[in-house]
Amino acid sequence: MSKIDGLNATKEAATREWIEQQKQVPRTTDEENDDISSIAESSIISSSDGYETEAEENFDLTNNTLTTTVLGNQYTPTDMAVVIENLRELLNSINSVQTLENVHIENSSNVTIGNVTNINATSTAAERKSNDSLITQASEEQEERVKRDAFIERIKYKIPKELCAVIPRGTWLAQMPMEEYDYIQKPVKLVIVSHTATESSEKQAINIRIIRDIQCFHIESREWNDIAYNFLVGCDGNVYEGRGWGVVGAHTIGYNSKSMGIAFIGCFMRHLPSDAAMNSCKNFLKKGVEEGHLAPDYKLIAACQCRSTESPGRRLYEELQTWHHFYNIAEEDDNE
């Protein structure tokens, strides 16, 4: 048997002897006996574990008197009251986990729940009434601000006059053209305005649906390469890309190869497009000149001036005659 094994066997025997001695000592209560016995039993080290510690090296083989160390102090087994008290303190310190159940805190401040709990819940009836009044007033002010800010009244122009929004083909989910485009030499000198003779809307989603229906009709029924127009203008104030800049369209027979076609979405025999639509169209044409797509002296004409049609609608045709760049073909014919 090795020295370590002998040392462990001797320590185990001494521990068990101490336990037997404690059974002969009177106890104050059964609970104390159970606590001491269970802790002592758990402190026995089996000789097969082979642990070697500094305490084992200093163990006196010639003296079988066992001492128990609790919280850094040394006591003999006869001082059982002190041992029990210190063991209880040790157990309490280990199990000192705070638990909280059914906590209800109301009208309080500076509340910290943990090792230190401070609850300042004192308030007079007058203070509570004052606080409730302030909360109610703040809530009413916030609600009124939401009403003013969240719901904007109908505005004349949805976008600034100097700007125009162009919705690309991908946004309205356009079909690919059936064949490759033919192109016009830029800058284009002639712009022809028409209408789609469909319903009109100030909602983008509805305008997108209308444009997709128009493209489907032009491709499948008319057997054209793509939607006829280069661009379309909605009453929502958006300009929608059709075939785009510099592409030959199918909007006006005899003029497609030398003009750009713009169509207002809707039917404008008796009323005008929205102000937002007309302003967007004007700004779009101005932008076309600035970007070099249109000639600075381009001519603006209506579809009804080129062929027998009601497009772009009588009311819109009257309005176009007041626009800058409008070209009156009839006056030119009279002069000739």
Side-chain angles (χ1 to χ4, degrees):
M1 181 180 296
S2 65
K3 180 179 178 180
I4 295 175
D5 291 339
L7 179 63
N8 289 337
T10 302
K11 182 174 180 181
E12 181 177 350
T15 303
R16 292 188 180 279
E17 181 182 355
W18 179 79
I19 292 172
E20 292 297 328
Q21 291 175 0
Q22 303 315 309
K23 292 179 180 179
Q24 306 300 325
V25 179
R27 300 291 189 266
T28 56
T29 63
D30 293 338
E31 183 179 357
E32 293 174 354
N33 295 337
D34 294 338
D35 289 344
I36 295 299
S37 297
S38 61
I39 294 174
E41 287 284 358
S42 65
S43 67
I44 298 175
I45 302 177
S46 174
S47 60
S48 62
D49 292 339
Y51 291 108
E52 181 178 358
T53 63
E54 183 179 354
E56 291 172 336
E57 293 175 356
N58 296 331
F59 188 80
D60 188 359
L61 296 176
T62 62
N63 185 3
N64 292 332
T65 303
L66 180 66
T67 59
T68 304
T69 303
V70 180
L71 299 177
N73 297 319
Q74 191 173 35
Y75 301 97
T76 61
T78 57
D79 196 4
M80 294 307 301
V82 178
V83 172
I84 292 171
E85 184 62 28
N86 282 277
L87 284 174
R88 284 178 175 170
E89 292 180 2
L90 178 61
L91 291 173
N92 290 334
S93 65
I94 294 173
N95 297 319
S96 61
V97 179
Q98 295 183 357
T99 59
L100 298 174
E101 296 182 0
N102 299 325
V103 177
H104 180 75
I105 301 173
E106 185 176 356
N107 295 328
S108 304
S109 60
N110 298 326
V111 177
T112 304
I113 299 178
N115 291 331
V116 179
T117 303
N118 296 323
I119 301 177
N120 181 11
T122 59
S123 61
T124 63
E127 291 175 345
R128 287 195 297 269
K129 184 176 181 181
S130 177
N131 291 335
D132 293 341
S133 176
L134 292 175
I135 293 173
T136 302
Q137 182 179 359
S139 301
E140 291 176 353
E141 291 178 355
Q142 183 179 11
E143 182 180 359
E144 182 63 25
R145 185 169 62 254
V146 169
K147 289 181 179 179
R148 292 196 307 268
D149 298 343
F151 304 99
I152 302 176
E153 296 180 356
R154 181 182 179 88
I155 55 177
K156 186 174 182 180
Y157 303 115
K158 294 184 179 180
I159 55 176
K161 292 183 179 181
E162 68 275 5
L163 301 177
C164 61
V166 179
I167 308 300
R169 289 173 61 93
T171 300
W172 59 270
L173 304 177
Q175 299 181 45
M176 295 293 293
M178 303 304 294
E179 299 176 357
E180 292 185 2
Y181 289 136
D182 293 327
Y183 294 92
I184 305 174
Q185 184 177 359
K186 295 190 295 184
V188 179
K189 297 182 179 181
L190 186 62
V191 176
I192 300 177
V193 178
S194 58
H195 70 182
T196 61
T198 61
E199 62 178 312
S200 62
S201 177
E202 295 185 359
K203 296 182 179 180
Q204 180 175 327
I206 296 178
N207 286 323
I208 287 176
R209 190 257 301 167
I210 295 172
I211 295 172
R212 294 187 65 186
D213 290 344
I214 293 173
Q215 185 191 38
C216 183
F217 173 72
H218 285 177
I219 292 176
E220 296 183 5
S221 297
R222 298 286 183 156
E223 296 183 352
W224 293 339
N225 184 36
D226 195 357
I227 191 170
Y229 315 108
N230 295 93
F231 294 93
L232 300 95
V233 182
C235 288
D236 58 346
N238 289 320
V239 177
Y240 295 85
E241 181 185 16
R243 298 196 182 195
W245 290 112
V247 178
V248 176
H251 45 85
T252 311
I253 297 176
Y255 292 83
N256 292 321
S257 60
K258 52 187 176 182
S259 66
M260 183 191 75
I262 296 179
F264 282 83
I265 301 174
C267 182
F268 304 102
M269 297 293 292
R270 296 182 176 85
H271 65 277
L272 287 172
S274 66
D275 291 340
M278 290 190 293
N279 279 288
S280 291
C281 185
K282 292 177 181 178
N283 294 326
F284 176 71
L285 294 173
K286 182 179 179 181
K287 182 179 179 181
V289 173
E290 294 173 352
E291 294 181 353
H293 302 294
L294 297 176
D297 58 346
Y298 73 89
K299 296 178 180 180
L300 180 69
I301 61 176
C304 60
Q305 293 177 271
C306 304
R307 59 189 178 94
S308 178
T309 178
E310 292 287 350
S311 184
R314 297 177 184 177
R315 185 69 184 88
L316 180 56
Y317 175 54
E318 292 174 0
E319 174 66 22
L320 290 176
Q321 295 179 48
T322 65
W323 286 21
H324 187 55
H325 289 281
F326 178 78
Y327 180 64
N328 194 327
I329 300 176
E331 289 184 358
E332 182 176 301
D333 294 339
D334 292 341
N335 292 332
E336 292 179 354

